[in-house]
Amino acid sequence: MEPLREVRDGYLVSLSIGTPPQVMQAYMDTGSDLTWFPCGNLSFDCIDCDDFKNYKIANSDFSPYHSSTSLRDTCGSHFCLDVHSSDNNLDTCTIAGCSLATLLKGTCMRPCPSFAYTYGEGGVVVGALTRDTLRVHGRITSDSPKDVPRFCFGCVGSTYREPIGIVGFGRGVLSLPSQLGFIQKGFSHCFLPFKYANNPNISSPLIIGDLAISNNNTQSTPMLKSPMYPNFYYIGLEAITIGNSTKITNIPLNLREIDSQGNGGLLIDSGTTYTHLPGPFYSQLVTILQSLINYPRSPDVESKSGFNLCYNVPCPTNSLVNHTDLLPPVTFHFLENVSLVLSPESNFYAMSAPSNSTVVKCLLYQSMEDGGGYGPAGIFGSFQQQNVEVVYDLGKERIGFQSMDCASASATQGFIYN
């Protein structure tokens, strides 16, 4: 495994799979469980992926035929039951020819039927569960690599709007932390700012295991439990402060808690780029920001980008290096008095290089499409997690936050697995 590498819309983690190892790159996603990779250079088909045509990554297609340890998962596997859990657990393997007796005992050795795995924003992947050896590394010293046999992942032949591959960091049995045996421990990450996207010389620190928890100096807030999505990470939001004094305390109740049906809560999701908030609350945030910002708007960029607030910000040197502006910070106040101050760089994004001593910056928040009434009420995306150490203490069921210079942390930590 390697440190997280930043690309346009997320953070890639590299995994060494198979014998001999094939290095695969895929998005880190705390909002799902399944790890999957495109399989076959000629056969992989990504539907409606025109927007992602430049996303092709070198060596991104896994070939099970070139691995001596690759096996198709079986119907007797709990991973097979999990990936088909949206249906009757027994239906698909019964069609595959398993008897009821072997299904109940978990001993049917017929191949696990192909799956269709869906994502919250409409993406779908179709493939087959595969077992193979995963090679992971310890601390970035001289620790020998460790082989994890029979690691279970999806070998995907076709997708809808999912071009690269995903490494699931949720809490289900298929997730990477779960299969590594760390689901009762935890992990942490520190995402580099988006200005480092596609820079091969620096990477975001990722720590899995005891060290992520033992060195935890963050303020932590309790995880909320969702009966609808028990494998995902939810927290409660109490208030937001804009600038130094304007505090919004009339937070919708469904951002603070999850109801008995599993609706509500703020989902922490590294696989979603922008933070999403319920429509009326998002509009209130936008209105207050408008009243505090005196820069001229950029309606052309707003129309093209779909973002509601874009400003022409002075940039006298025509360079974003050490560039400062008067855009206000935003502070999130989570349950149990945990506050996280987000700098302007984690709220506004430079849409292009500066020109004529001006740069256009847009607010990278969005309104929940369904108004936040079904499923999570809001999503805390990866853009707002820049320069923040996020610690997932799975044993204590708490999530910690601490503002941090992730580039400096990268120089001392890199990727750590212990």
Side-chain angles (χ1 to χ4, degrees):
M1 296 176 70
E2 303 291 340
L4 295 169
R5 182 168 71 86
E6 186 175 3
V7 291
R8 189 183 72 176
D9 283 334
Y11 297 84
L12 296 177
V13 61
S14 296
L15 301 180
S16 296
I17 300 282
T19 307
Q22 301 175 44
V23 178
M24 311 302 300
Q25 293 184 327
Y27 279 125
M28 176 191 180
D29 184 16
T30 59
S32 65
D33 293 325
L34 177 69
T35 293
W36 67 268
F37 308 108
C39 281
N41 292 326
L42 298 178
S43 60
F44 179 69
D45 179 29
C46 186
I47 301 168
D48 195 16
C49 287
D50 289 346
D51 290 344
F52 309 100
K53 62 178 60 176
N54 296 322
Y55 271 41
K56 192 67 175 176
I57 298 173
N59 302 319
S60 61
D61 294 324
F62 178 75
S63 175
Y65 305 107
H66 292 142
S67 172
S68 62
T69 48
S70 182
L71 298 169
R72 179 81 175 261
D73 200 21
T74 66
C75 276
S77 160
H78 62 293
F79 296 122
C80 182
L81 295 182
D82 188 80
V83 82
H84 290 292
S85 61
S86 60
D87 305 313
N88 182 318
N89 287 344
L90 306 183
D91 279 352
T92 52
C93 284
T94 300
I95 294 172
C98 294
S99 69
L100 180 59
T102 58
L103 285 173
L104 295 175
K105 294 176 182 178
T107 58
C108 182
M109 298 307 294
R110 291 186 178 273
C112 180
S114 297
F115 63 82
Y117 193 91
T118 59
Y119 292 91
E121 294 186 349
V124 183
V125 301
V126 175
L129 282 187
T130 302
R131 299 286 194 103
D132 212 331
T133 299
L134 169 67
R135 175 162 291 185
V136 295
H137 300 274
R139 298 193 61 172
I140 50 173
T141 58
S142 59
D143 288 10
S144 299
K146 176 184 177 181
D147 286 344
V148 180
R150 296 178 60 80
F151 177 76
C152 189
F153 61 96
C155 194
V156 169
S158 60
T159 73
Y160 174 69
R161 297 184 63 83
E162 296 291 346
I164 292 180
I166 289 173
V167 179
F169 271 74
R171 305 178 74 181
V173 297
L174 280 164
S175 76
L176 179 69
S178 180
Q179 292 194 61
L180 292 180
F182 291 147
I183 203 61
Q184 295 303 319
K185 297 180 181 179
F187 60 93
S188 68
H189 56 71
C190 194
F191 288 157
L192 289 169
F194 273 34
K195 66 182 180 182
Y196 291 104
N198 300 312
N199 184 335
N201 299 316
I202 188 168
S203 52
S204 298
L206 170 65
I207 305 174
I208 302 179
D210 291 327
L211 196 59
I213 308 305
S214 61
N215 285 356
N216 183 9
N217 296 315
T218 63
Q219 300 181 73
S220 65
T221 187
M223 296 182 192
L224 303 180
K225 296 182 179 180
S226 169
M228 184 184 300
Y229 301 112
N231 296 342
F232 303 150
Y233 306 107
Y234 289 86
I235 57 176
L237 182 66
E238 289 190 321
I240 285 181
T241 299
I242 303 171
N244 297 320
S245 58
T246 306
K247 192 170 186 178
I248 308 175
T249 57
N250 57 334
I251 299 289
L253 183 61
N254 63 353
L255 275 174
R256 299 171 183 256
E257 59 186 40
I258 296 176
D259 66 23
S260 58
Q261 283 74 46
N263 300 308
L266 184 67
L267 176 68
I268 308 296
D269 185 8
S270 66
T272 298
T273 307
Y274 319 123
T275 289
H276 290 63
L277 297 170
F281 181 60
Y282 168 78
S283 298
Q284 186 179 6
L285 173 70
V286 168
T287 298
I288 294 174
L289 283 167
Q290 284 180 287
S291 69
L292 296 175
I293 299 172
N294 294 320
Y295 296 130
R297 298 276 289 275
S298 179
D300 290 345
V301 175
E302 290 177 355
S303 176
K304 293 177 181 178
S305 67
F307 295 116
N308 284 2
L309 286 184
C310 296
Y311 291 96
N312 293 301
V313 178
C315 187
T317 63
N318 278 329
S319 172
L320 293 176
V321 177
N322 297 322
H323 176 252
T324 59
D325 55 48
L326 298 178
L327 296 170
V330 176
T331 303
F332 279 68
H333 304 280
F334 303 117
L335 297 180
E336 298 190 1
N337 297 315
V338 173
S339 295
L340 176 64
V341 180
L342 301 178
S343 67
E345 291 75 20
S346 295
N347 298 304
F348 292 87
Y349 181 66
M351 303 299 288
S352 61
S355 177
N356 298 322
S357 300
T358 300
V359 61
V360 177
K361 293 188 176 183
C362 294
L363 177 72
L364 261 60
Y365 289 72
Q366 291 183 333
S367 174
M368 291 289 285
E369 290 186 3
D370 64 353
Y374 178 80
I379 301 173
F380 195 58
S382 62
F383 188 81
Q384 278 67 41
Q385 297 177 49
Q386 300 174 87
N387 276 337
V388 177
E389 181 186 22
V390 184
V391 179
Y392 298 76
D393 188 334
L394 304 184
K396 295 181 179 178
E397 297 193 326
R398 302 183 71 86
I399 296 181
F401 299 95
Q402 178 176 248
S403 296
M404 179 178 289
D405 183 344
C406 293
S408 296
S410 175
T412 59
Q413 293 180 353
F415 170 82
I416 300 176
Y417 160 96
N418 71 312

